[in-house]
């Protein structure tokens, strides 16, 4: 069964909330760098964790366009559907 953007976004948020340093009031519109205070290394580590859990690889050129949790979820769904 393929995941929807909302389902992937919920999984990303669940994964983020496992980190005690992440604010508790995040949602799909939360900005990964600004709202979560992730530096570039933290973003890469986080994306690798999501890639592993969802068995997908996000190319670096696509990663540059991702700003929010929903952006990341939409990118992952697109990649899983052959985009």
């Amino acid at each position: 069964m393929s995941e929807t953007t909302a389902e992937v976004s919920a999984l990303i948020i669940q994964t983020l909330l496992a980190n005690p340093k992440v604010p508790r009031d995040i949602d799909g519109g939360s900005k990964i760098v600004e709202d979560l205070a992730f530096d570039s290394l933290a973003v890469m580590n986080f994306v690798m964790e999501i890639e592993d859990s969802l068995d997908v690889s996000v190319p670096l050129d696509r990663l540059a366009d991702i700003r929010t949790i929903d952006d990341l979820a939409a990118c992952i769904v697109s990649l899983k559907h052959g985009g």
Side-chain angles (χ1 to χ4, degrees):
M1 182 178 212
S2 60
E3 296 96 347
T4 66
T5 302
E7 290 169 337
V8 173
S9 185
L11 178 91
I12 293 169
I13 291 169
Q14 180 181 355
T15 302
L16 284 166
L17 289 175
N19 181 340
K21 294 180 181 178
V22 170
R24 303 290 101 186
D25 61 346
I26 61 173
D27 60 29
S30 297
K31 294 182 178 92
I32 295 170
V33 174
E34 294 90 343
D35 296 339
L36 304 180
F38 278 16
D39 61 17
S40 57
L41 180 59
V43 170
M44 292 305 295
N45 287 334
F46 168 66
V47 170
M48 284 191 302
E49 182 179 352
I50 295 298
E51 288 175 330
D52 289 345
S53 66
L54 292 174
D55 193 31
V56 67
S57 180
V58 179
L60 288 177
D61 63 326
R62 297 278 299 266
L63 198 55
D65 296 329
I66 294 170
R67 299 283 178 257
T68 67
I69 293 170
D70 282 344
D71 291 345
L72 178 58
C75 177
I76 289 170
V77 169
S78 171
L79 290 167
K80 290 188 88 146
H81 291 220

